[in-house]
Amino acid sequence: MHDKGNYVLHFPIRTSVFKVTTFVEQSSLVESSARMAEQQTELPEDVETDDCMTTYTYMYSPDLLKDNVAFITGGGSGIGFRIAEVFMRHGCDTVIGSRNLERLTEAAKKLSVATGQRCLALAMDVRQPETISAAVEDALKEFGRIDILINNAAGNFLCPATSLSFNAFRTVMEIDTMGTFNTSKVVFERWFKDHGGSIVNISATLGYKGQALQVHAGSAKAANDAMTRHLAVEWGPSGVRVNTLAPGPISGTEGFRRLGGMRAETSGMFQTIPLQRAGNKTEMAHGVLFLASRASSYVTGACLVADGGSWLTSANNLPALLDYWSSGLKRDK
Ligand SMILES: CC/C=C\C/C=C\C/C=C\C/C=C\C/C=C\C/C=C\C=C\C(=O)SCCNC(=O)CCNC(=O)[C@H](O)C(C)(C)COP(=O)(O)OP(=O)(O)OC[C@H]1O[C@@H](n2cnc3c(N)ncnc32)[C@H](O)[C@@H]1OP(=O)(O)O
Ligand SMILES: NC(=O)C1=CN([C@@H]2O[C@H](COP(=O)(O)OP(=O)(O)OC[C@H]3O[C@@H](n4cnc5c(N)ncnc54)[C@H](OP(=O)(O)O)[C@@H]3O)[C@@H](O)[C@H]2O)C=CC1
């Protein structure tokens, strides 16, 4: 009844326009949900919280990162946590660095228990180069090498440009853009310059069409996308690849919670995304694993957009975002 051959055979004998439309709509709805159900079962495992997955299905060789060490900023939560977990499941030891040492220490314990690899938690602020240098020294003392740097640390919130203070804009630029430059420069000069390495910056598609209420983060990530290309050119001869992964809306993350992801999902907005759903953190980690590892040995200066096609089709909905933002202000009072 629902295979394509039957559509072709049945279509001409439907006489009423209403009936034809209904039939086609119903059939394609059934097909579409069947396709989505099929797709869901093919999705990599994930859990919404900052915990390790209880099961994991390998898509890459389990020893892809064997004996490697990865330095992951913001690795104690969200996408960064899952990147750390997936890397460790592929034989990598990790360093996770950010401001909140208590959360990092807890995360490092969970990651080591689940994967059997070592994870070192280090306090650092990507806005303060001296704290990055100290963390890099500690990492080298512990592991003797760094092969991969993931610049994942970032800060964001919804805010219209007119309500954004000068300091708020500067803060996000300093964390996202300066932070990425600072960490890349410290790791390059201390280790990658002489040993090579792979850098993956976590970006976003916000700047592609000027996402409303996001001038701070969109500008910061656009600068990072340019930085990826500049550093790929300058550091390629030293054996350093520099690439970017740009996620779309990813469930189980702080970004999703802060930017209206829940409301967008429950109100059906994600139906306009070509893949009709939010992404999950493991899907992001798999993209980063590709870019960070030898699986992409001839790729540098590239940006892998991992957003289900979202930025191509999703409305830049200023009224809905303003409404969501102002309802948050009311809640906070
Ligand atoms: C219904 C919805 C309608 C439509 C939706 C349609 C489409 C959306 C669909 C789905 C969205 C789903 C997913 C998102 C998709 C893409 C996301 C893309 C990018 C995501 C990027 C991210 O980075 S997410 C990461 C989120 N995590 C964090 O931010 C954690 C770290 N953050 C922080 O530490 C803080 O928040 C910080 C960034 C403010 C930094 O902290 P700190 O250094 O301590 O700075 P402060 O001193 O606190 O503040 C500095 C100045 O900033 C001002 N400020 C702080 N918060 C706000 C705010 N919420 N609004 C405005 N201004 C703020 C603060 O006041 C300070 O300024 P002063 O002038 O007062 O000094
Ligand atoms: N979630 C989403 O849908 C999307 C996310 N992204 C990007 O993915 C990445 C992860 O976001 P997500 O998982 O949502 O959010 P999280 O808030 O979980 O991750 C951000 C991390 O950055 C760390 N961080 C923030 N400021 C600093 C700082 N000054 N120095 C060091 N570390 C810092 C935080 O730790 P601590 O507080 O301990 O410092 C936190 O672990 C970000 O780069 C974000 O821009 C892009 C598109 C969509």
Side-chain angles (χ1 to χ4, degrees):
M1 178 73 172
H2 296 121
D3 64 87
K4 285 219 169 72
N6 278 342
Y7 284 28
V8 175
L9 281 174
H10 283 113
F11 187 82
I13 58 167
R14 299 265 162 174
T15 47
S16 134
V17 171
F18 174 75
K19 273 187 182 162
V20 169
T21 310
T22 306
F23 174 77
V24 170
E25 275 180 0
Q26 280 177 352
S27 301
S28 58
L29 262 180
V30 170
E31 244 205 357
S32 160
S33 7
R35 233 185 357 257
M36 280 181 69
E38 205 173 274
Q39 209 184 42
Q40 293 294 337
T41 59
E42 287 170 4
L43 295 187
E45 297 95 329
D46 194 21
V47 288
E48 288 278 304
T49 53
D50 291 338
D51 290 294
C52 293
M53 297 173 280
T54 48
T55 62
Y56 178 72
T57 310
Y58 282 89
M59 297 189 180
Y60 294 84
S61 164
D63 68 356
L64 186 60
L65 296 183
K66 189 170 180 304
D67 299 331
N68 280 195
V69 175
F71 191 104
I72 305 169
T73 68
S77 64
I79 294 171
F81 179 93
R82 192 67 72 237
I83 293 170
E85 178 185 349
V86 168
F87 276 24
M88 291 169 78
R89 288 184 184 274
H90 288 81
C92 196
D93 290 326
T94 58
V95 180
I96 53 175
S98 70
R99 298 162 301 174
N100 184 341
L101 186 58
E102 201 181 324
R103 182 167 67 171
L104 286 169
T105 307
E106 184 65 22
K109 265 189 224 145
K110 290 183 200 171
L111 288 163
S112 291
V113 168
T115 66
Q117 294 290 136
R118 287 191 292 160
C119 178
L120 180 64
L122 293 174
M124 57 177 269
D125 188 324
V126 294
R127 292 168 289 190
Q128 296 169 2
E130 64 285 0
T131 68
I132 306 170
S133 297
V136 167
E137 290 311 321
D138 286 350
L140 289 171
K141 230 176 265 158
E142 178 78 13
F143 295 118
R145 61 189 293 158
I146 299 173
D147 303 279
I148 295 165
L149 166 64
I150 309 298
N151 285 307
N152 166 79
N156 198 6
F157 42 78
L158 284 178
C159 191
T162 48
S163 300
L164 194 66
S165 72
F166 296 114
N167 189 40
F169 185 87
R170 180 172 45 240
T171 298
V172 172
M173 290 298 291
E174 280 180 356
I175 300 174
D176 293 20
T177 304
M178 296 296 297
T180 296
F181 179 73
N182 295 341
T183 314
S184 302
K185 185 171 159 69
V186 168
V187 172
F188 179 79
E189 283 170 3
R190 180 62 182 87
W191 192 257
F192 283 2
K193 176 163 58 78
D194 300 318
H195 303 88
S198 176
I199 300 177
V200 181
N201 298 323
I202 309 303
S203 185
T205 63
L206 301 168
Y208 294 7
K209 59 178 183 189
Q211 184 67 35
L213 277 56
Q214 286 288 276
V215 63
H216 41 305
S219 304
K221 295 296 192 179
N224 289 5
D225 294 350
M227 198 190 305
T228 293
R229 294 186 289 273
H230 287 286
L231 297 182
V233 169
E234 287 197 27
W235 294 350
S238 305
V240 179
R241 296 188 300 110
V242 189
N243 291 293
T244 289
L245 180 108
I250 306 305
S251 57
T253 67
E254 190 59 26
F256 195 81
R257 287 184 280 273
R258 287 182 181 215
L259 271 60
M262 318 272 197
R263 191 183 291 187
E265 191 158 46
T266 50
S267 61
M269 286 186 197
F270 289 168
Q271 289 310 304
T272 64
I273 298 176
L275 296 187
Q276 301 182 312
R277 61 175 178 86
N280 78 32
K281 291 171 286 188
T282 311
E283 291 177 300
M284 298 307 101
H286 284 160
V288 176
L289 178 57
F290 168 72
L291 290 173
S293 72
R294 62 182 189 276
S296 64
S297 50
Y298 200 53
V299 180
T300 197
C303 175
L304 175 58
V305 177
D307 74 336
S310 178
W311 87 267
L312 295 169
T313 56
S314 295
N316 196 341
N317 195 334
L318 180 60
L321 281 162
L322 278 173
D323 179 60
Y324 184 68
W325 172 72
S326 56
S327 71
L329 293 184
K330 281 177 219 138
R331 268 199 312 274
D332 294 346
K333 275 184 188 150

